[in-house]
Amino acid sequence: MEIAEELAKHQKAISVAEFFEKNRQILGFDSAPRALITTVKEAVDNSLDACEEADILPDIFVQILRRGEGFRVVVEDNGPGIVGGEVPRVFAKLLYGSRFHALKQSRGQQGIGISAGVLYSQLTTGRPTAVTTKIGPTHRAGRWELMINTATNEPEVLKTEETEWDRPHGTRVELEMEGSYVRSRRQSIYGYLKNVAIVNPHARITLVEPDGNVEVFERATDKMPSPSYEIKPHPLGMELGGLIKMLRYTDKKKLKSFLAGSFSSVGAIISQEICDRAELDPEMAPQDLTHSEATRLLAAFKEMRLKSPPTDCLSPIGEELIRAGLEKEYRVDFIATTKRPVSVYAGNPFQVEVGLAYGGELKGDGKVEVLRFANRVPLLYQQGGCAITHAIENVSWKIYSLSQPGGGVPVGPAALLVHIASTNIPFTSESKDAVADVPEIVAEVELGLKEVGRKLRRYISKKSALSERKEKEEIIRKILPRISKKLSELLAREEPDINPVVAKIMGNLLVKRSVASENGLALVTLEVANYGDASKAFKLHETVSVEAEAVEPPARVIALGDGYDHLWKISLRPGERQQIRYTVPSEGVRFSEPVVEGVASELVSGARVVG
Amino acid sequence: MEIAEELAKHQKAISVAEFFEKNRQILGFDSAPRALITTVKEAVDNSLDACEEADILPDIFVQILRRGEGFRVVVEDNGPGIVGGEVPRVFAKLLYGSRFHALKQSRGQQGIGISAGVLYSQLTTGRPTAVTTKIGPTHRAGRWELMINTATNEPEVLKTEETEWDRPHGTRVELEMEGSYVRSRRQSIYGYLKNVAIVNPHARITLVEPDGNVEVFERATDKMPSPSYEIKPHPLGMELGGLIKMLRYTDKKKLKSFLAGSFSSVGAIISQEICDRAELDPEMAPQDLTHSEATRLLAAFKEMRLKSPPTDCLSPIGEELIRAGLEKEYRVDFIATTKRPVSVYAGNPFQVEVGLAYGGELKGDGKVEVLRFANRVPLLYQQGGCAITHAIENVSWKIYSLSQPGGGVPVGPAALLVHIASTNIPFTSESKDAVADVPEIVAEVELGLKEVGRKLRRYISKKSALSERKEKEEIIRKILPRISKKLSELLAREEPDINPVVAKIMGNLLVKRSVASENGLALVTLEVANYGDASKAFKLHETVSVEAEAVEPPARVIALGDGYDHLWKISLRPGERQQIRYTVPSEGVRFSEPVVEGVASELVSGARVVG
């Protein structure tokens, strides 16, 4: 017998369930803490998707209970529920689902998620998964106990019964598994749900931890996110093999109706134009096209000027929410955000949003923190293997005022948030941890990063120019008094006010108050001078314990508890100055330091600065 | 109608071929250059596995041809061939293969590889894949044209015929696809095959590039690597669900024979002991165990002291080959290697080997280069997402004399090679680019890295101590002569030999020759003194133009072309000295500088150092 004949005896088909039973790490079950996180993630993603499809504000309950040496994971939602006949396959068959074939943004897109949790559960504990679901107030709830037959990848229903449930509709899934519960870090169930809440402010999420501690991530808005609509494939994203397959299996009888009915951005006129250009009869049957005719058709696609695919298949987070999310996560000095236009890879529309937070409580000595999101789902693992990270590494951050020792992720007191929304996120694996290095996506993320980078550079350079200026002024303020003091002593004169000198040297806005006494009245002059080389518009406040009289120019006066705020709106060109006069009684009047509102404090001498 | 009923209409099973058609990036087809590399990788891995199973020295031919706007990839081997009935499913059905169910080290282990290439080929060009195979000299070759029906994941045979082929046996596969051919970098077909050759020196690999350039990676040895043998699962790696499944489907009638026949490290005696400990009747049918009895059985496994799993299921590269591989790749100053003992994760034996190259042509200003291998296959992509990289990042390299600015992969003139051999490499995805963060594997890689790190630290600290010493000595050598010269001038004396002083200050080995004349003879004294604080054993060579006489102690004398080498083996404790005397004619004799062999040159004064 030949060796090949010997070897052939070992050839065998592998069920997809067997495959993932052996390669569970591909599904995100590579360590004990992660098993619990992955299970919660898949269940919560399903709940959010289902609620959005049914236009229901999500209310999701997650509980982790210790059970022997393992855990029981419970996830319950107020979603539309699942019809009985579908329950076994939805939960206990890998590669089964409603969102795989639809070209629209959703969290689940693979048809694997929760069934992977069921597989891991039975593998580690030998126990079935329990599912309770109810599709409306007039229906009874159903309860199933399910396992996966791994040899066939088909569900095994161990038990099924009708039951009472006080919810009007919803789904509850309970799984037992080995695992380990961690709390402290970002890579935890708590950390995951916290990040989900940031980008899904329309959801209320409750977490009950094994020790009984309850965390509620409260709903921040009653507005549902803008819904995403299913679209047809765009001609520019087609590949020859895919086109041939569509031609072969369409139920359209004529090429022209196939074209107009199967693609986005193609109507009757464009359809005719494509046929003309490809020199094909619009009346021919799609099934009859030869390989070379299909090649011509594809070439015609690429030559046409077609509208971009519709963007309502996407539901981005929005710059406002990204800013709010970063503010919720960190106390910082500066936030920049950007939203890139919709772009396309292999026919799939996608859109990149980027946020950058800087300063405040962020630590300056470590790598910049990276928050990755895809279709509103936080990505916790495989940061090093993700296109988002690679794009961050590709940018020269030194240009944008962050250091990058040894290359890679920059170092400094900053955090980056990147969201990719797409009808098909190209994950590197079924565990959906990292986005693959699709050149179009990497390029778009880089562009977004550079945009926020430029905003950061402007902020930092302004800040550092101001702080250098302040330093210079402080030195001048220290030296000038000594000189002036020495001079005063030598000349036996009173020491002069050095503020005007400092303001002149520094090009500052100078505020100077002088008071003369006359007939029991104090005649007050406020002199405001712009020594800078840019125009300045600001408000000047003078708070005095009594209301001033003979005010020129007139001021707006506000009575405070213990005095009066006199307010002038002033605008000065470079070199311009203005005098303000008023009188108060010469005795028993208390002044505060003048206050300037609306100019950086580093640019003002002789007054306190607010706002 | 309830929303759930509406949504249920979209629920649908997904064929695994459809799944990967949409998620091709998971299989390694996320960019044009990578598509070609992945296809070659999968075909070559299959060829190497098949040749090893059939004990054939592999001879593999790879050709890349331009074809229209795409490429034709040809991979041909001299392996055992494939029997006709298996060809369609081996090449045109995902999840089909011989190595998935076997517990032994092999390159292919998923049953996906080459079928993924066929899928990508038909998707991008609409063309079938051609396979030619022959299983022995007395058989005729067969030729197939194949596609995958993605809706069913079953092969479609477009054409099949008998044909002539001049090879005695082997397989040839030809695929057409879109792609892009790159050459220059490590992530290329050339780079991949070069790395394959390094760790598979028993293979000859020929690459014909699109421009006609031919590269041959010649066989470096005729010895096949040590074969890996299939083993049974080890009880300590079992999980409850897996055990219950085995109990349910075994064909053994009694628990004791089930245990003895299904697991490695379990014989009749251990089998009985396990049953006793679990309080189970050894005669009972495995199918009859309840959930709680199975739980007891598993608990008994964990309580037993069992032999480790057999290690002949693995075929490591070996330290010698790792060293040779690194030497082939780089010219360096220093190489350290290590091989960790076999360890186990989730019942799968695995072994880690590490090599470190340092200095030479390696650049010092960038990150350390990382060469990753799994089961003798180079890993080119997803370095940042790989457990090997994470282990490198976890090590504090500063301790081992490499800098690590901002954490992460260290910086310096070094390269790291890590090989993981296992019966089941836990890849993060089907593209087999990166190893998942399985805690046991990360820990073992870290230990291996620390071992070579310690060797590096010893090398560097020795080198730097010596170089500091040399520098100090050079300073002394420069200053002392000036002092001695000044003194000589002042005292009008001859300038003294400063070598003994230097040797004393530096703690060196001093060699000093002095010559006195007497009766027409030169009386030569070699004084050798060890001023160091360690014993020194070395050879002293004195090369003179004539043979010496009255040599005391006696020397070994070797006649050279133009003189005589006199050789003494000397061993000196710290502080010890020795005198050597001999005579030569006082006229017409030429001496060379004495030579010391076997002591670092930095530690010797007054003699040249060799070896």
Side-chain angles (χ1 to χ4, degrees):
Chain A
M1 192 160 77
E2 302 292 349
I3 295 168
E5 290 163 328
E6 190 60 52
L7 294 173
K9 290 182 195 162
H10 303 284
Q11 297 285 2
K12 208 171 148 184
I14 302 147
S15 110
V16 68
E18 276 179 322
F19 177 80
F20 284 121
E21 190 178 28
K22 183 171 165 189
N23 293 296
R24 65 187 81 166
Q25 75 285 345
I26 292 182
L27 299 173
F29 292 91
D30 55 7
S31 69
R34 201 173 164 194
L36 294 182
I37 298 170
T38 299
T39 304
V40 168
K41 181 177 189 290
E42 298 296 351
V44 169
D45 286 358
N46 284 353
S47 293
L48 289 170
D49 270 343
C51 286
E52 279 171 32
E53 281 169 354
D55 201 25
I56 296 167
L57 282 169
D59 201 338
I60 299 173
F61 172 83
V62 178
Q63 182 167 25
I64 315 295
L65 295 155
R66 283 191 205 284
R67 171 109 188 184
E69 294 191 14
F71 290 86
R72 174 186 285 253
V73 176
V74 180
V75 179
E76 185 177 314
D77 66 42
N78 62 337
I82 300 163
V83 299
E86 292 295 334
V87 171
R89 278 173 299 180
V90 165
F91 287 90
K93 179 178 172 69
L94 296 166
L95 294 180
Y96 188 84
S98 61
R99 297 173 198 110
F100 178 83
H101 293 92
L103 278 186
K104 64 175 241 184
Q105 175 179 337
S106 60
R107 294 169 185 80
Q109 56 180 46
Q110 299 185 337
I112 293 181
I114 191 62
S115 304
V118 174
L119 185 68
Y120 187 74
S121 162
Q122 73 184 43
L123 187 63
T124 56
T125 68
R127 299 276 184 196
T129 293
V131 178
T132 309
T133 187
K134 186 169 166 186
I135 65 168
T138 60
H139 294 74
R140 291 199 67 191
R143 188 175 180 282
W144 281 258
E145 289 188 22
L146 300 167
M147 291 181 91
I148 301 175
N149 181 332
T150 54
T152 60
N153 185 34
E154 290 296 335
E156 270 182 32
V157 179
L158 274 68
K159 198 171 163 186
T160 169
E161 59 188 1
E162 289 204 339
T163 181
E164 291 307 315
W165 201 21
D166 52 5
R167 287 209 179 242
H169 48 77
T171 301
R172 174 185 172 98
V173 55
E174 298 168 66
L175 310 96
E176 283 184 27
M177 58 182 63
E178 281 183 11
S180 149
Y181 190 83
V182 296
R183 155 100 203 222
S184 51
R185 50 190 192 201
R186 206 171 110 76
Q187 286 176 342
S188 66
I189 291 175
Y190 174 81
Y192 178 73
L193 294 177
K194 185 178 162 198
N195 278 287
V196 167
I198 286 175
V199 295
N200 295 281
H202 64 295
R204 178 191 294 122
I205 305 174
T206 308
L207 168 64
V208 183
E209 301 190 285
D211 61 2
N213 178 46
V214 180
E215 294 280 348
V216 180
F217 301 95
E218 203 37 85
R219 185 172 291 138
T221 171
D222 282 346
K223 220 181 98 209
M224 292 292 289
S226 59
S228 55
Y229 297 98
E230 191 170 340
I231 58 162
K232 295 184 188 119
H234 193 269
L236 284 186
M238 291 307 298
E239 289 167 308
L240 189 53
L243 178 60
I244 290 172
K245 193 171 140 190
M246 283 177 76
L247 287 163
R248 185 164 157 193
Y249 293 109
T250 182
D251 50 11
K252 293 291 192 312
K253 301 281 175 275
K254 293 177 179 177
L255 182 57
K256 64 176 183 188
S257 48
F258 163 76
L259 291 172
S262 309
F263 297 99
S264 69
S265 311
V266 178
I269 296 165
I270 302 282
S271 166
Q272 180 68 46
E273 243 183 276
I274 292 172
C275 291
D276 291 350
R277 205 178 276 263
E279 296 178 11
L280 291 169
D281 177 4
E283 305 291 327
M284 78 184 292
Q287 294 76 9
D288 290 349
L289 266 76
T290 64
H291 190 277
S292 77
E293 285 171 335
T295 308
R296 290 215 304 275
L297 187 62
L298 188 70
F301 284 174
K302 316 260 165 185
E303 286 164 16
M304 301 286 299
R305 286 178 59 90
L306 296 167
K307 272 191 304 181
S308 297
T311 62
D312 58 1
C313 55
L314 300 182
S315 170
I317 296 177
E319 291 190 66
E320 199 182 319
L321 216 54
I322 286 180
R323 175 178 292 273
L326 284 169
E327 278 170 354
K328 215 163 162 183
E329 187 87 342
Y330 315 104
R331 272 184 302 129
V332 297
D333 297 333
F334 173 77
I335 290 179
T337 61
T338 191
K339 181 169 157 181
R340 297 283 311 158
V342 173
S343 186
V344 179
Y345 84 90
N348 302 293
F350 73 98
Q351 186 164 26
V352 170
E353 299 169 285
V354 180
L356 178 147
Y358 183 85
E361 65 175 13
L362 289 166
K363 285 190 193 125
D365 54 353
K367 290 198 178 290
V368 160
E369 216 175 309
V370 178
L371 303 175
R372 298 171 294 134
F373 293 86
N375 284 2
R376 293 173 176 260
V377 176
L379 310 182
L380 299 190
Y381 289 88
Q382 284 288 338
Q383 180 172 314
C386 183
I388 291 175
T389 311
H390 301 157
I392 292 173
E393 292 170 344
N394 291 347
V395 170
S396 275
W397 286 97
K398 277 171 200 163
I399 305 172
Y400 307 115
S401 316
L402 290 174
S403 69
Q404 207 171 11
V409 173
V411 167
L416 285 164
L417 185 158
V418 179
H419 178 237
I420 301 173
S422 178
T423 54
N424 185 27
I425 301 278
F427 288 111
T428 58
S429 90
E430 289 84 344
S431 63
K432 296 183 279 185
D433 294 313
V435 178
D437 285 324
V438 174
E440 292 89 343
I441 293 181
V442 174
E444 272 296 308
V445 176
E446 279 182 34
L447 288 171
L449 291 166
K450 286 174 180 171
E451 280 177 21
V452 296
R454 280 193 290 274
K455 291 178 188 173
L456 174 66
R457 182 177 55 197
R458 276 200 295 279
Y459 168 76
I460 290 183
S461 72
K462 202 171 134 197
K463 211 182 96 182
S464 80
L466 287 176
S467 96
E468 260 175 43
R469 196 186 168 82
K470 194 76 197 166
E471 220 167 280
K472 199 166 140 197
E473 183 175 329
E474 267 164 19
I475 289 167
I476 291 169
R477 274 189 195 283
K478 272 180 200 156
I479 294 166
L480 276 183
R482 289 186 200 167
I483 297 172
S484 83
K485 197 173 176 190
K486 274 269 178 264
L487 281 174
S488 315
E489 283 168 8
L490 280 172
L491 304 174
R493 288 225 194 141
E494 204 186 332
E495 214 179 311
D497 176 10
I498 58 161
N499 271 330
V501 186
V502 172
K504 271 184 207 160
I505 293 174
M506 295 303 300
N508 277 11
L509 181 72
L510 171 73
V511 181
K512 192 184 159 193
R513 185 200 286 132
S514 52
V515 183
S517 284
E518 201 179 286
N519 302 332
L521 283 178
L523 309 179
V524 184
T525 307
L526 283 169
E527 176 142 6
V528 192
N530 180 3
Y531 290 107
D533 46 13
S535 289
K536 293 189 175 70
F538 55 94
K539 291 179 187 164
L540 179 69
H541 300 262
E542 175 80 323
T543 306
V544 195
S545 57
V546 298
E547 189 169 353
E549 299 193 356
V551 184
E552 184 55 43
R556 203 177 141 209
V557 181
I558 298 153
L560 304 173
D562 55 350
Y564 296 84
D565 180 20
H566 305 75
L567 166 64
W568 295 267
K569 286 193 184 175
I570 300 174
S571 177
L572 294 176
R573 286 189 299 276
E576 201 182 359
R577 56 178 63 213
Q578 181 172 355
Q579 283 198 345
I580 292 167
R581 291 163 206 276
Y582 63 89
T583 61
V584 287
S586 59
E587 298 291 325
V589 174
R590 278 172 290 108
F591 296 91
S592 304
E593 195 181 0
V595 169
V596 167
E597 185 183 343
V599 177
S601 66
E602 290 82 356
L603 297 179
V604 177
S605 291
R608 198 156 62 84
V609 178
V610 298
Chain B
M1 192 160 76
E2 302 292 349
I3 295 168
E5 290 163 329
E6 191 61 52
L7 293 173
K9 291 183 195 158
H10 302 284
Q11 298 285 5
K12 208 170 147 184
I14 303 147
S15 109
V16 67
E18 276 179 322
F19 177 80
F20 285 121
E21 192 178 27
K22 183 172 167 190
N23 292 296
R24 66 188 79 165
Q25 75 285 347
I26 291 182
L27 299 173
F29 291 91
D30 55 8
S31 70
R34 201 173 165 195
L36 294 182
I37 298 171
T38 299
T39 304
V40 169
K41 181 177 188 294
E42 297 295 351
V44 169
D45 286 357
N46 284 353
S47 293
L48 289 171
D49 270 343
C51 285
E52 279 171 31
E53 282 169 354
D55 202 24
I56 294 166
L57 282 169
D59 201 339
I60 299 173
F61 173 84
V62 178
Q63 184 166 25
I64 315 294
L65 294 154
R66 283 193 204 284
R67 172 106 189 186
E69 293 191 13
F71 290 86
R72 174 186 284 255
V73 176
V74 180
V75 179
E76 184 177 314
D77 67 42
N78 62 337
I82 299 162
V83 298
E86 293 295 333
V87 170
R89 280 173 298 180
V90 165
F91 287 90
K93 179 179 173 65
L94 297 165
L95 295 180
Y96 188 84
S98 60
R99 296 172 199 111
F100 178 83
H101 293 93
L103 278 185
K104 63 175 246 183
Q105 175 178 337
S106 61
R107 294 170 185 79
Q109 57 179 44
Q110 300 185 334
I112 294 179
I114 191 64
S115 305
V118 173
L119 184 69
Y120 187 75
S121 162
Q122 73 185 44
L123 186 64
T124 56
T125 68
R127 298 278 185 196
T129 293
V131 178
T132 309
T133 186
K134 187 169 165 185
I135 64 168
T138 60
H139 294 73
R140 291 199 69 190
R143 188 175 180 283
W144 282 259
E145 289 188 12
L146 300 167
M147 290 182 92
I148 302 175
N149 181 333
T150 55
T152 60
N153 184 34
E154 289 296 334
E156 270 182 33
V157 179
L158 275 67
K159 197 171 161 186
T160 170
E161 59 189 0
E162 288 205 341
T163 180
E164 290 306 316
W165 201 21
D166 52 6
R167 286 206 180 246
H169 48 77
T171 302
R172 174 184 173 98
V173 55
E174 298 167 66
L175 311 96
E176 283 183 28
M177 59 182 64
E178 281 183 10
S180 151
Y181 190 83
V182 296
R183 155 99 203 223
S184 50
R185 52 191 191 199
R186 203 171 111 77
Q187 286 176 340
S188 66
I189 291 176
Y190 174 81
Y192 177 73
L193 294 177
K194 186 178 160 197
N195 278 287
V196 167
I198 285 175
V199 294
N200 296 281
H202 64 294
R204 178 192 293 122
I205 304 174
T206 307
L207 168 65
V208 183
E209 300 189 286
D211 62 2
N213 177 46
V214 180
E215 294 281 348
V216 181
F217 302 94
E218 205 33 88
R219 185 171 290 137
T221 171
D222 282 346
K223 221 181 99 208
M224 293 291 287
S226 58
S228 54
Y229 297 97
E230 192 171 340
I231 58 163
K232 296 183 187 119
H234 193 269
L236 285 185
M238 290 308 296
E239 289 166 307
L240 188 55
L243 177 61
I244 290 172
K245 193 171 140 192
M246 282 177 76
L247 287 163
R248 186 164 157 192
Y249 292 110
T250 182
D251 50 11
K252 292 292 192 311
K253 302 283 175 274
K254 294 176 179 176
L255 182 57
K256 67 176 182 188
S257 49
F258 163 76
L259 291 172
S262 309
F263 297 99
S264 68
S265 310
V266 178
I269 296 165
I270 302 282
S271 167
Q272 179 68 46
E273 242 183 278
I274 292 172
C275 293
D276 290 350
R277 204 178 277 262
E279 295 177 12
L280 292 169
D281 178 3
E283 304 292 326
M284 79 185 291
Q287 293 76 8
D288 291 349
L289 267 75
T290 63
H291 191 279
S292 76
E293 285 172 334
T295 308
R296 290 214 306 274
L297 186 62
L298 189 70
F301 283 175
K302 315 260 166 188
E303 287 164 15
M304 300 286 300
R305 285 178 59 90
L306 295 167
K307 271 191 304 181
S308 297
T311 62
D312 58 2
C313 55
L314 299 181
S315 169
I317 296 177
E319 291 191 66
E320 200 180 319
L321 216 55
I322 286 180
R323 175 177 293 272
L326 284 169
E327 278 169 355
K328 215 163 162 183
E329 186 88 341
Y330 314 105
R331 272 183 302 129
V332 296
D333 297 333
F334 172 76
I335 289 179
T337 61
T338 191
K339 182 169 157 182
R340 296 283 310 158
V342 173
S343 186
V344 179
Y345 84 91
N348 302 293
F350 74 97
Q351 186 164 28
V352 170
E353 299 169 286
V354 180
L356 179 148
Y358 184 85
E361 65 176 13
L362 290 166
K363 286 189 194 126
D365 54 354
K367 289 198 181 288
V368 160
E369 216 174 309
V370 178
L371 304 174
R372 296 171 298 134
F373 293 87
N375 285 2
R376 293 174 176 259
V377 176
L379 310 182
L380 299 189
Y381 289 89
Q382 285 288 337
Q383 180 173 314
C386 184
I388 291 175
T389 310
H390 301 157
I392 292 172
E393 292 170 345
N394 291 348
V395 170
S396 273
W397 286 97
K398 277 172 199 161
I399 304 173
Y400 307 116
S401 316
L402 290 173
S403 68
Q404 207 171 9
V409 173
V411 167
L416 284 165
L417 184 159
V418 178
H419 178 238
I420 301 173
S422 177
T423 53
N424 185 28
I425 301 278
F427 288 113
T428 58
S429 91
E430 289 83 344
S431 62
K432 294 182 281 184
D433 293 314
V435 179
D437 285 324
V438 174
E440 292 89 341
I441 292 182
V442 174
E444 271 297 308
V445 176
E446 279 183 33
L447 288 172
L449 290 166
K450 286 176 181 171
E451 280 178 21
V452 296
R454 280 193 290 274
K455 290 178 188 173
L456 174 66
R457 181 177 56 197
R458 275 201 295 278
Y459 168 76
I460 290 182
S461 72
K462 201 169 135 197
K463 212 180 97 184
S464 79
L466 288 175
S467 97
E468 259 175 44
R469 198 187 167 80
K470 193 77 198 168
E471 219 168 281
K472 197 165 141 196
E473 183 174 329
E474 268 165 18
I475 290 169
I476 291 170
R477 273 188 195 285
K478 271 180 199 156
I479 294 167
L480 277 184
R482 289 185 200 167
I483 297 174
S484 83
K485 198 173 174 190
K486 275 269 179 263
L487 280 175
S488 314
E489 283 168 10
L490 279 172
L491 303 175
R493 287 224 195 145
E494 202 185 332
E495 214 178 313
D497 176 9
I498 59 160
N499 272 330
V501 184
V502 174
K504 270 183 209 162
I505 294 173
M506 296 302 302
N508 276 9
L509 182 72
L510 171 74
V511 180
K512 190 183 160 193
R513 186 200 285 133
S514 54
V515 182
S517 283
E518 200 179 288
N519 302 331
L521 283 180
L523 309 179
V524 184
T525 308
L526 284 169
E527 176 140 5
V528 192
N530 180 4
Y531 289 108
D533 46 14
S535 289
K536 293 190 175 69
F538 55 93
K539 290 178 188 166
L540 179 68
H541 298 263
E542 175 79 323
T543 306
V544 195
S545 57
V546 298
E547 187 167 354
E549 298 193 356
V551 184
E552 184 56 42
R556 205 176 138 206
V557 182
I558 299 153
L560 306 172
D562 54 352
Y564 296 83
D565 179 20
H566 306 76
L567 165 65
W568 295 269
K569 287 192 182 175
I570 299 175
S571 178
L572 295 177
R573 285 189 299 277
E576 201 181 359
R577 54 180 62 215
Q578 181 171 354
Q579 284 198 343
I580 292 167
R581 293 163 202 275
Y582 63 89
T583 62
V584 287
S586 59
E587 297 291 328
V589 174
R590 279 170 291 109
F591 296 91
S592 303
E593 195 182 1
V595 170
V596 167
E597 185 183 343
V599 177
S601 66
E602 290 83 356
L603 297 179
V604 176
S605 291
R608 198 158 62 82
V609 178
V610 298

